[in-house]
Amino acid sequence: MRRLFLYLIMTPQTDITTFDDIKLLVDTFYSKVQKDEFIGPIFNEKIGNRWPEHLEKMYRFWQTILLEVHSYSGSPFPPHKQLPVAKEHFDRWMEIFTQTTDSLFAGPLADEAKYRAKNMAEMFNYKIDYFRNLEKNQTNNS
């Protein structure tokens, strides 16, 4: 009986279905990011005291992607273009995102969130590398 109880309280029971679920995911995730020794300083320096604004934007972003409520518009990459990050930073970001999602939710939309986050991390990493190499080549050819 004790094992069943632990299973029930430790296993996510629901999928991401509401805006409140999005807020829980985003708030929990970025709370961990802010405290993370590896990627936290990068986020905290870039965002500074604008965390509430950033979180609101992330709610709208994930609501648009997962719940198909079109509340986000814009291009998510440009603010990340000049960040001092490499693949290992994206790997850590993804690790925290996956752990957070898995600890809170289970189902097709939770899986979709992890899939989309993975694709976004890979694309951002690729594009940041591309622009760095482009700038390096332009500097070397000048």
Side-chain angles (χ1 to χ4, degrees):
M1 183 68 168
R2 182 171 170 2
R3 180 174 279 164
L4 176 61
F5 174 73
L6 287 174
Y7 174 80
L8 290 174
I9 64 170
M10 295 178 72
T11 303
Q13 298 298 310
T14 60
D15 201 0
I16 300 167
T17 59
T18 67
F19 183 71
D20 286 340
D21 293 340
I22 297 286
K23 286 183 72 170
L24 177 63
L25 175 62
V26 168
D27 289 344
T28 305
F29 170 67
Y30 280 107
S31 173
K32 291 177 183 181
V33 165
Q34 289 177 51
K35 296 174 196 157
D36 188 76
E37 291 180 8
F38 188 54
I39 63 173
I42 297 166
F43 276 84
N44 291 321
E45 183 176 326
K46 176 71 174 173
I47 296 172
N49 63 354
R50 298 182 325 277
W51 274 104
E53 175 187 325
H54 182 70
L55 293 174
E56 284 294 327
K57 192 178 291 185
M58 293 301 93
Y59 302 152
R60 293 190 311 272
F61 176 80
W62 286 106
Q63 182 185 35
T64 299
I65 287 179
L66 298 175
L67 303 181
E68 297 182 11
V69 174
H70 301 285
S71 57
Y72 175 84
S73 63
S75 180
F77 177 71
H80 300 85
K81 183 178 174 183
Q82 298 298 328
L83 288 178
V85 293
K87 183 177 183 323
E88 49 276 3
H89 296 96
F90 287 103
D91 290 346
R92 180 64 181 144
W93 183 90
M94 196 60 223
E95 181 183 356
I96 297 169
F97 190 86
T98 299
Q99 290 171 349
T100 302
T101 304
D102 288 345
S103 74
L104 297 171
F105 303 102
L109 287 179
D111 292 342
E112 179 74 12
K114 293 180 289 185
Y115 173 76
R116 295 290 192 105
K118 181 179 179 291
N119 286 345
M120 188 170 42
E122 289 172 355
M123 180 196 60
F124 279 21
N125 182 54
Y126 173 82
K127 288 175 88 170
I128 287 171
D129 277 350
Y130 173 81
F131 285 112
R132 275 194 195 132
N133 289 333
L134 188 65
E135 289 172 6
K136 239 188 267 182
N137 290 337
Q138 289 173 346
T139 302
N140 291 340
N141 293 335
S142 299

